Amino acid sequence: MSKIFWSPGLEQLEPYTPGEQPESKTLIKLNTNENPYPASPQALGLLKQYDFSDALRRYPDPESRELRRAIADKHKLTPEQVFVGNGSDEVLALSFYSFFRRREPLLFPDITYSFYPVYCQLFDIESRKIPLARDFSVQLQDYSAPAAGVIIPNPNAPTGRYLPLDEIEALLECQPQRVVIVDEAYIDFGGDSAITLINRYPNLLVIHTLSKSYALAGLRLGFAMGQKHLIQGLLRAKNSFNSYPIDAVAQRVATAAIRDTAWHADNCGKVIATRKRCEQTLAEIGFEVVPSQANFLLVKPPQPGAEAFNQALRKRDILVRYFNQPRISEYLRISIGTDAEMDQLIRNCKEILASQS
Ligand SMILES: *Cc1c(COP(=O)(O)O)cnc(C)c1O
């Protein structure tokens, strides 16, 4: 293949590798932290009942006003404090571009969401990985060096560990002159959101997604919340790139999903209950389980170890995530599925263990 047409540097980019999305439906899929239940019937019902012909003939609302109003209402903000994008991955990309292209490095934990280094490369942002402690907890004192900013998922991925709000505040105070992004993709599964700090911290940007707790990963909808000056910055970048990112269908469906607060609370409750049960059962059969406030568990399996377990489970049609990288190569990340799926997982883990002896 001839790469002579590519811009210089393109070949050196190392793109993000998403988790496997198999075409077979018989697999138990616990590898990408999707929600195991269908989304809000209010949201899904729209797709069956609503006539989108006019909405699709026209360009969508470039400002997603109704959707931003729904998000602002739910989180007690104003619509001017809300920015929406095509999945939080897009919101993250625009945030990196808007806030972190500086002389100093961007700081993030050494074990974290692997899209961050990809954006750094794309936008020529230097980065510094700050080691987590041995138990994967965040070491706050390491975040006060001169920096372009800080980004941290809370709960962290793929560890699941959660940082309480007073520690998020300490982090914000480490970098008063720089943006601190708290990527709260998993916050609804048990943590307190930093949204309540927004009006007190001009440097705080909180990012949420509909992909996990709203069961709408296929819709591609994420949003950022922060003081107006940060949102204005994001809008400048977005409108220089794509002024209609949220399609008309996604705007409607997402608005209905956000407004269905009862479904959302109930769904999170179910996932949390299943997580707690699994945490206990896996520990009983010899897995080390990292404390999680997310919809997944990072676990260290006993013999024959993580890589062998990953392969053995794959043969039994169960997909989990194995990261062949330093510090977590002995671990598996297992998304929380339905109770029936998790029972199957546990039964298969017991069989794999039994076949060892
Ligand atoms: C899943 C995930 C996202 C991506 O969400 P999308 O809205 O689907 O793009 C962002 N950050 C973290 C930490 C995630 O785990």
Side-chain angles (χ1 to χ4, degrees):
M1 189 178 67
S2 174
K3 293 174 185 158
I4 57 164
F5 301 111
W6 292 12
S7 298
L10 185 60
E11 205 181 341
Q12 280 71 50
L13 285 185
E14 265 185 63
Y16 177 76
T17 351
E20 186 183 349
Q21 293 293 35
E23 291 195 37
S24 151
K25 292 227 165 74
T26 55
L27 286 170
I28 295 183
K29 201 171 167 301
L30 306 174
N31 67 331
T32 51
N33 300 343
E34 288 147 334
N35 200 297
Y37 302 105
S40 147
Q42 301 283 332
L44 297 176
L46 275 183
L47 292 169
K48 291 189 193 127
Q49 291 146 23
Y50 189 79
D51 179 3
F52 281 102
S53 55
D54 227 35
L56 287 174
R57 185 172 60 78
R58 296 176 189 278
Y59 279 106
D61 174 6
E63 297 173 49
S64 301
R65 282 167 297 191
E66 220 191 306
L67 173 57
R68 283 171 41 238
R69 210 172 301 127
I71 295 168
D73 288 349
K74 177 164 184 176
H75 295 296
K76 302 192 173 68
L77 298 168
T78 67
E80 292 70 38
Q81 294 176 308
V82 178
F83 176 88
V84 291
N86 223 302
S88 60
D89 287 336
E90 184 183 71
V91 177
L92 287 167
L94 291 167
S95 304
F96 275 53
Y97 183 87
S98 305
F99 307 124
F100 297 150
R101 290 178 308 129
R102 295 173 177 277
R103 283 213 189 85
E104 308 89 348
L106 174 66
L107 312 181
F108 50 80
D110 61 339
I111 302 165
T112 197
Y113 188 38
S114 49
F115 227 132
Y116 303 156
V118 176
Y119 291 134
C120 284
Q121 237 195 348
L122 180 63
F123 297 128
D124 252 321
I125 296 165
E126 255 192 76
S127 61
R128 217 176 90 214
K129 294 183 177 173
I130 311 291
L132 296 174
R134 278 181 67 97
D135 65 357
F136 301 129
S137 59
V138 173
Q139 306 292 90
L140 285 175
Q141 69 278 10
D142 299 342
Y143 287 85
S144 39
V150 174
I151 182 159
I152 190 157
N154 194 33
N156 195 6
T159 67
R161 288 207 70 136
Y162 167 72
L163 214 53
L165 276 194
D166 56 330
E167 297 188 32
I168 294 288
E169 274 194 81
L171 201 56
L172 288 158
E173 278 154 17
C174 281
Q175 297 288 343
Q177 305 296 323
R178 293 291 185 253
V179 172
V180 173
I181 296 184
V182 186
D183 180 350
E184 293 189 336
Y186 302 102
I187 198 71
D188 300 326
F189 300 109
D192 289 326
S193 171
I195 294 171
T196 52
L197 304 176
I198 283 175
N199 289 329
R200 280 170 44 217
Y201 289 93
N203 58 334
L204 169 62
L205 193 73
V206 180
I207 298 186
H208 280 205
T209 174
L210 299 201
S211 298
K212 315 283 167 45
S213 66
Y214 288 87
L216 288 169
L219 194 71
R220 309 306 304 129
L221 204 292
F223 51 97
M225 294 160 286
Q227 289 187 15
K228 196 174 154 191
H229 54 266
L230 297 183
I231 304 304
Q232 293 285 325
L234 286 169
L235 286 170
R236 283 184 90 82
K238 171 221 153 200
N239 289 326
S240 307
F241 179 72
N242 173 6
S243 35
Y244 298 105
I246 316 301
D247 68 78
V249 178
Q251 289 194 30
R252 294 244 174 210
V253 174
T255 304
I258 298 276
R259 294 224 186 267
D260 193 351
T261 51
W263 178 90
H264 187 246
D266 180 65
N267 177 272
C268 294
K270 280 199 283 197
V271 172
I272 292 167
T274 308
R275 179 189 71 216
K276 288 188 175 156
R277 196 171 61 85
C278 277
E279 221 162 8
Q280 203 179 344
T281 318
L282 285 168
E284 279 163 16
I285 63 171
F287 285 61
E288 251 178 60
V289 184
V290 178
S292 168
Q293 301 275 65
N295 68 339
F296 58 82
L297 293 170
L298 189 71
V299 300
K300 187 174 178 182
Q303 284 306 322
E307 202 170 2
F309 253 97
N310 182 43
Q311 282 169 14
L313 287 168
R314 184 79 176 75
K315 279 203 194 114
R316 294 155 176 264
D317 288 338
I318 299 176
L319 280 189
V320 299
R321 191 84 185 256
Y322 174 67
F323 299 93
N324 195 0
Q325 56 174 264
R327 296 192 70 190
I328 52 170
S329 62
E330 302 291 305
Y331 290 81
L332 295 176
R333 192 196 67 191
I334 305 175
S335 309
I336 302 301
T338 61
D339 281 313
E341 288 173 327
M342 301 319 276
D343 286 346
Q344 287 246 47
L345 168 87
I346 285 158
R347 191 170 48 74
N348 278 278
C349 285
K350 284 181 181 166
E351 284 173 16
I352 295 165
L353 286 173
S355 70
Q356 278 298 291
S357 45

